[in-house]
Amino acid sequence: MEHTFDQAAALLGTGRNKLARQLRQLKMLDKHNMPAGPFRGKGIFVVKTGTYDHPTNGKTPYTKTLITDRGLELIRYRLPPNEEAPMHKQPATQPTGRVHDLGELTVINEDHDRCHHRVAMVVVFDSPEQAQACVKAGAVRLVPAMDLNPDATEAMRHGG
């Protein structure tokens, strides 16, 4: 699903202009609110183009930047915490995971492309339900890497 800046701002508990300003400060958008270099073609933003009838200039081209669900997750992670947001009540017993490995990691995707991460942590859970409980409790946050297949985060969220 794609969201306008108004819709995304509402979902993030902020205003449209403040969201756009923060995304420019994070260098995710350029000065024209278009995706900045590293964020183009990554499934984070979608740019729609078209024309409209201007009263004096005639047919005028326009572009509109939209934010995908995947982009919304990444933005939520990168934005500073909203001071007005209510704190989530933590459950009495926290689900746990074990650190399995810490260091460098190379991921090979379905197309046999490699992506090397210099800093990585592998956390192991006893079940998909325990991993989901950690995410829901806010103890673990899944953030799609820019080089991660967009479906991967969705699969992780649903225990796939």
Side-chain angles (χ1 to χ4, degrees):
M1 184 172 188
E2 299 164 353
H3 308 275
T4 64
F5 278 83
D6 283 326
Q7 294 165 337
L11 292 169
L12 294 168
T14 189
R16 181 195 66 198
N17 294 343
K18 183 176 179 182
L19 175 62
R21 182 175 54 251
Q22 288 176 314
L23 294 177
R24 286 191 299 270
Q25 288 170 346
L26 291 169
K27 307 226 184 291
M28 294 177 78
L29 295 178
D30 66 15
K31 65 182 180 179
H32 303 290
N33 290 343
M34 299 290 287
F39 298 95
R40 290 186 200 130
K42 301 290 186 182
I44 296 166
F45 298 105
V46 174
V47 178
K48 300 283 184 178
T49 60
T51 59
Y52 68 97
D53 289 320
H54 188 274
T56 56
N57 296 339
K59 290 236 183 251
T60 304
Y62 73 88
T63 58
K64 183 175 189 172
T65 302
L66 301 173
I67 302 169
T68 66
D69 285 336
R70 181 170 181 240
L72 202 57
E73 284 185 47
L74 181 64
I75 291 165
R76 184 176 282 124
Y77 174 76
R78 288 185 172 216
L79 286 181
N82 188 351
E83 298 300 324
E84 299 168 15
M87 295 297 290
H88 294 287
K89 191 174 184 180
Q90 295 292 329
T93 58
Q94 285 283 344
T96 59
R98 294 177 309 282
V99 174
H100 178 71
D101 201 357
L102 189 63
E104 295 190 23
L105 173 73
T106 299
V107 177
I108 303 172
N109 68 19
E110 296 164 350
D111 298 329
H112 303 289
D113 292 331
R114 294 173 182 258
C115 178
H116 186 75
H117 301 275
R118 293 185 59 207
V119 180
M121 177 187 292
V122 177
V123 179
V124 179
F125 297 94
D126 293 330
S127 68
E129 294 77 22
Q130 229 181 6
Q132 289 172 351
C134 262
V135 171
K136 285 181 183 172
V140 173
R141 194 176 211 174
L142 295 178
V143 178
M146 290 183 354
D147 54 359
L148 186 65
N149 178 331
D151 299 328
T153 303
E154 192 65 23
M156 288 187 289
R157 184 181 300 117
H158 291 68

